[in-house]
Amino acid sequence: HTTHHFDVRKFNLGFTMGGNYGRYKMTAFNDLYDGDARTYLRKVVVVGKPGINLGLITNMKLHNNIDVRFLPSEALEQRDFEFHLDSRIDGSDSLNMKKIESSFLNLPLVVKLKSNYYDVYRVYFQTGLQFSINMASTKKVKNDPDLLKTTTTDFSWVSSTGIDLYGERLKMNLEIRYALGLRNLYVPKNTKFANAIADLYSQSLMFLINFE
C-alpha cells in the first residue's frame, strides 16, 4: 500500500508520554570573592536530572509528506546547581546546593516531514519553536533562594526524529526530541555571587511514546 487509512484524515488528535533529561548551557566564572562573608566561590556545577512528560497531539495534514503539529505538554523537570565555596576564615570547604524544580507548560508548534508510507511505518523529522511557562510556585523554591534565580518563561528551538508504526486502530510514534533555549534565563538581581554566572540557556532531551 502507498498510504494508510489514518493518513487520509486532514486532522487527528492523540496523546504523548515519556521521560526527559534537563540541563543548562551555562557560562560561569570561578574564584569569585565575597568580601562580606570572606568566602571564595571556587566553581558552579550544573547537575542534570530526569523528569517526565505528558501531553496532547493535534495534527493537521498539509501534504502526504508534510504535517503541522501543535503539541501542548506538561514537563516536570529538575536541575541542581552545586556552589563550591572556600571559607577564608577557617579554611573549610563547603557545598551549597540549589534545586530548580520546574513544572513547564510547553507549547511547541512544529512542521513534520515524513517519508512515504512503507509496509507499516514511516520515518519522520520535525522542527519548530516552543514557548514555555514555568507553572511551579516560587513558594516551593528549595535550599538557598538567594543563590540563584531564573525567569518563569522560556522560548526554545525544538527538533525531533522518530518512526510512525501503524496498526489497524492505532498509530504509535517512537520519538527522540531535543529542545534548546534561545533566551537567557539567568536573573542576577539580589543574589549572592551575582557575577558568577553570565548566562543560562535551557536544554532538554526527551524520549517519547506518542499515540494517535
Side-chain angles (χ1 to χ4, degrees):
H1 299 284
T2 58
T3 188
H4 190 277
H5 63 81
F6 276 119
D7 294 331
V8 175
R9 306 171 185 171
K10 285 290 184 181
F11 183 80
N12 63 279
L13 300 173
F15 67 94
T16 182
M17 64 179 66
N20 64 64
Y21 182 79
R23 286 184 57 86
Y24 283 114
K25 181 182 178 183
M26 176 179 68
T27 302
F29 303 100
N30 299 330
D31 296 319
L32 297 180
Y33 183 59
D34 181 354
D36 293 335
R38 298 184 64 188
T39 302
Y40 273 103
L41 173 63
R42 290 304 183 192
K43 62 180 178 179
V44 182
V45 178
V46 181
V47 181
K49 296 288 184 177
I52 61 173
N53 283 68
L54 294 171
L56 301 175
I57 298 170
T58 59
N59 187 94
M60 179 175 291
K61 177 182 175 183
L62 298 182
H63 181 271
N64 183 52
N65 302 101
I66 304 175
D67 295 341
V68 173
R69 291 160 72 84
F70 178 56
L71 309 169
S73 66
E74 182 83 6
L76 303 180
E77 302 179 2
Q78 179 177 325
R79 298 166 173 88
D80 293 351
F81 285 78
E82 297 178 352
F83 288 78
H84 295 259
L85 305 176
D86 180 8
S87 174
R88 296 290 89 186
I89 298 177
D90 57 12
S92 63
D93 297 331
S94 63
L95 175 63
N96 285 23
M97 294 289 296
K98 167 65 178 178
K99 295 181 180 180
I100 296 184
E101 296 179 339
S102 305
S103 176
F104 277 107
L105 173 62
N106 294 324
L107 303 171
L109 182 65
V110 301
V111 175
K112 179 178 180 180
L113 307 175
K114 52 190 179 178
S115 69
N116 291 330
Y117 175 79
Y118 177 76
D119 198 6
V120 292
Y121 70 90
R122 291 179 189 255
V123 295
Y124 67 86
F125 170 80
Q126 60 187 23
T127 187
L129 296 174
Q130 171 177 281
F131 179 70
S132 302
I133 305 172
N134 187 0
M135 308 297 289
S137 171
T138 55
K139 295 180 181 179
K140 297 181 180 180
V141 172
K142 293 187 176 182
N143 311 115
D144 191 343
D146 296 327
L147 279 176
L148 185 70
K149 294 178 182 178
T150 60
T151 63
T152 57
T153 59
D154 196 8
F155 194 64
S156 308
W157 166 73
V158 292
S159 182
S160 63
T161 186
I163 183 170
D164 290 330
L165 301 174
Y166 290 80
E168 283 301 316
R169 299 184 179 181
L170 185 70
K171 182 172 71 172
M172 182 177 72
N173 325 113
L174 303 177
E175 180 179 327
I176 299 176
R177 185 184 304 171
Y178 175 71
L180 174 63
L182 303 176
R183 181 187 183 192
N184 181 11
L185 303 180
Y186 183 54
V187 179
K189 294 181 180 179
N190 301 319
T191 58
K192 300 175 183 177
F193 302 106
N195 296 325
I197 298 174
D199 53 48
L200 285 176
Y201 293 91
S202 63
Q203 293 179 305
S204 183
L205 184 64
M206 292 155 273
F207 302 91
L208 304 172
I209 302 176
N210 308 321
F211 299 92
E212 298 181 50

